[in-house]
Amino acid sequence: MLSNLLAFTAVVMMLTMLPGIDTAQVLRAATLGGPRLAYATLFGIMAGVWVWGVAAAIGISALLLASPALYDVVRYLGGSYLLWLGLRIIWSARKPHLQSEHDSGSARTYVGAFTRASLITITNPKNGLFYIAMLPQFLPKELPPAVGGFVLSTIHNGTCLLWFSMLIWGTNRARNFFERPQVQQWMERISGIALVGFGVAAAGYVLGDLLVKL
């Protein structure tokens, strides 16, 4: 169990550091409204992560009880998705490029910032695909599915809190550094390679199980 949790921590830490929509939201809030507005945005993101983690864990558990064979198919598709996503990230990192801002509009209150960020996270299907792909490999068997999903999403949120706190309290300096095209290029390469590795491992693990059953 501990080894799974540590491995999951390493994966989500690398993905959290990859510039994307969450980074754009937090940096924008920090620039416009300072640390308080930025943390309101961050807590909204974290709320969405908890929703996805628990929901995905419950769904995967129900699928396993209903059909172990279909569960293997989902695991294989999840591994294939990670492989595709990793290759896509590596391909996009061939040339340096500026991180574009994904936000539209502005949050004027802390409640508005929290709500807006949580809705963006919940309605982003990539978050659901990520948890469906990752949870079968790391979900603790010793815990009920909902609890296990909450534990994993809490670990994910812990890495978010740590990383984005660094960005929030050093907004100008951190933003100038992480918006450098070369830095983003190498971060994308590292994250892409990690995703490819986990995708190959997940797909290979499922195929191995299928061969053993045959």
Side-chain angles (χ1 to χ4, degrees):
M1 176 177 174
L2 181 59
S3 60
N4 282 356
L5 296 180
L6 292 176
F8 183 80
T9 301
V11 174
V12 295
M13 184 175 295
M14 287 186 293
L15 291 178
T16 299
M17 294 172 64
L18 180 65
I21 189 170
D22 293 342
T23 304
Q25 289 189 88
V26 173
L27 287 179
R28 181 175 183 276
T31 301
L32 295 178
R36 290 185 179 181
L37 188 63
Y39 273 110
T41 301
L42 175 58
F43 293 151
I45 294 171
M46 293 168 62
V49 169
W50 269 313
V51 170
W52 274 120
V54 174
I58 294 175
I60 290 172
S61 176
L63 182 61
L64 175 60
L65 293 176
S67 174
L70 186 57
Y71 175 73
D72 285 338
V73 172
V74 171
R75 286 199 299 169
Y76 180 78
L77 292 176
S80 299
Y81 169 74
L82 292 178
L83 177 60
W84 172 82
L85 182 60
L87 291 175
R88 182 180 178 184
I89 292 175
I90 294 173
W91 178 262
S92 67
R94 290 174 301 147
K95 297 180 180 180
H97 59 277
L98 293 174
Q99 174 68 31
S100 59
E101 186 170 354
H102 296 73
D103 291 326
S104 60
S106 62
R108 298 181 179 180
T109 65
Y110 303 138
V111 174
F114 175 90
T115 303
R116 180 169 174 270
S118 61
L119 288 176
I120 290 175
T121 303
I122 292 173
T123 57
N124 186 355
K126 291 183 179 180
N127 294 320
L129 288 174
F130 167 75
Y131 271 100
I132 291 174
M134 296 297 293
L135 258 63
Q137 305 173 63
F138 298 104
L139 195 63
K141 297 180 180 179
E142 299 86 350
L143 300 175
V147 176
F150 180 78
V151 169
L152 292 181
S153 55
T154 299
I155 292 175
H156 189 178
N157 279 335
T159 64
C160 289
L161 182 62
L162 177 62
W163 175 249
F164 287 120
S165 291
M166 295 172 59
L167 296 187
I168 291 171
W169 291 106
T171 302
N172 291 331
R173 184 177 180 181
R175 182 182 59 188
N176 292 336
F177 175 75
F178 288 105
E179 284 186 348
R180 294 177 182 175
Q182 292 80 6
V183 174
Q184 291 191 12
Q185 185 181 24
W186 279 105
M187 290 181 66
E188 289 181 352
R189 286 174 177 172
I190 293 172
S191 298
I193 292 172
L195 286 175
V196 168
F198 277 98
V200 171
Y205 178 72
V206 176
L207 289 176
D209 280 353
L210 293 176
L211 290 176
V212 169
K213 293 177 182 179
L214 293 175

